[in-house]
Amino acid sequence: MDLLPIRRAILSVTDKTGLEDFARFLTENGVELFSTGGTRKMLLDAGLPVASVSDVTGFPEIMNGRVKTLHPHIHAGVLADKDNPEHMDTLSELGLAPFDLICVNLYDFARAASQGLDLKAAVEQIDIGGPTMLRAAAKNFHSILVAPGVEHYDRIIDDLKANDMKVSLPLRKDMACETFAKTSEYDAMITSYLGSKNA
């Protein structure tokens, strides 16, 4: 689809710069927000309506936040091809709904690595759920918009305003490219760090 309506979004970010304004724009235009942990708390404190990802999964965040978005109820909604009737029927049969926007930025592993933490402590700062959601949404850009960094919020808002709260395919494709570049850089940084350390 050339223009994709934005109705349901997951926001889960480490860098919260500009997020309140971005989220407020979305809610004021009828977008239902879902979030996790500190991001959700920040949005609630700002007076914005935001449900918990646990409301979708029916499962609490566990293992100090290691497992929260890694769940089929999340990834089915992210990876569903909206042009494929079988995918949409599957969601309906399972009582699930597709997502239209994934806004994620990653744990700041570079900062953790620069702090001289021991290897086990540094490894805790390796993001798993974030890259997984980003890559899933980027793969499925024909059916979902991915926002991999704060620097893209204004462009996304402009595109949505220009298209009556629908997002264009060229923007979705560009954001997918940006996402794969970011996750590749992130993996390369972790590879370099781990390769330089003794077990």
Side-chain angles (χ1 to χ4, degrees), residues 12-16 103-107 127 130 134 147-150 153:
S12 183
V13 299
T14 297
D15 182 354
K16 297 175 177 58
C103 176
V104 171
N105 55 61
L106 304 174
Y107 296 169
D127 201 329
L134 284 172
V150 302
Y153 294 167

Side-chain angles (χ1 to χ4, degrees), residues 101-173:
L101 168 62
I102 298 298
C103 176
V104 171
N105 55 61
L106 304 174
Y107 296 169
D108 191 351
F109 184 75
R111 184 173 64 83
S114 71
Q115 290 177 330
L117 301 175
D118 65 55
L119 184 58
K120 192 168 180 64
V123 163
E124 284 303 313
Q125 299 304 309
I126 296 175
D127 201 329
I128 300 300
T132 304
M133 276 206 301
L134 284 172
R135 288 173 56 83
K139 170 183 175 172
N140 200 30
F141 70 88
H142 282 96
S143 292
I144 193 168
L145 170 66
V146 59
V150 302
E151 67 272 21
H152 304 299
Y153 294 167
D154 287 345
R155 183 181 175 194
I156 291 169
I157 288 171
D158 288 345
D159 197 81
L160 287 168
K161 285 180 176 177
N163 294 297
D164 192 27
M165 286 307 290
K166 299 179 179 71
V167 68
S168 67
L169 181 58
L171 177 61
R172 301 198 310 271
K173 191 268 293 178

Side-chain angles (χ1 to χ4, degrees), residues 1 33 46 50 82 84-85 100 110 114 147 149 177:
M1 58 187 70
L33 303 184
V50 54
K82 291 171 183 164
N84 184 328
D100 309 302
S114 71
C177 289

Side-chain angles (χ1 to χ4, degrees), residues 49-91:
V50 54
S52 172
V53 162
S54 295
D55 296 335
V56 179
T57 64
F59 202 82
E61 294 184 18
I62 61 172
M63 300 177 185
N64 305 113
R66 278 188 170 199
V67 180
K68 48 194 174 189
T69 59
L70 296 166
H71 194 283
H73 287 187
I74 297 297
H75 285 276
V78 174
L79 282 164
D81 178 354
K82 291 171 183 164
D83 292 323
N84 184 328
E86 289 184 12
H87 286 201
M88 301 310 289
D89 287 347
T90 297
L91 289 183

Side-chain angles (χ1 to χ4, degrees), residues 14-32:
T14 297
D15 182 354
K16 297 175 177 58
T17 306
L19 184 69
E20 181 181 336
D21 290 341
F22 185 52
R24 193 174 301 282
F25 169 79
L26 294 174
T27 58
E28 287 176 352
N29 285 278
V31 180
E32 186 179 11

Side-chain angles (χ1 to χ4, degrees), residues 178-198:
E178 290 281 343
T179 296
F180 283 118
K182 280 182 179 288
T183 56
S184 294
E185 291 167 6
Y186 194 73
D187 285 343
M189 176 175 55
I190 293 167
T191 301
S192 176
Y193 175 82
L194 291 178
S196 70
K197 300 296 180 182
N198 294 321

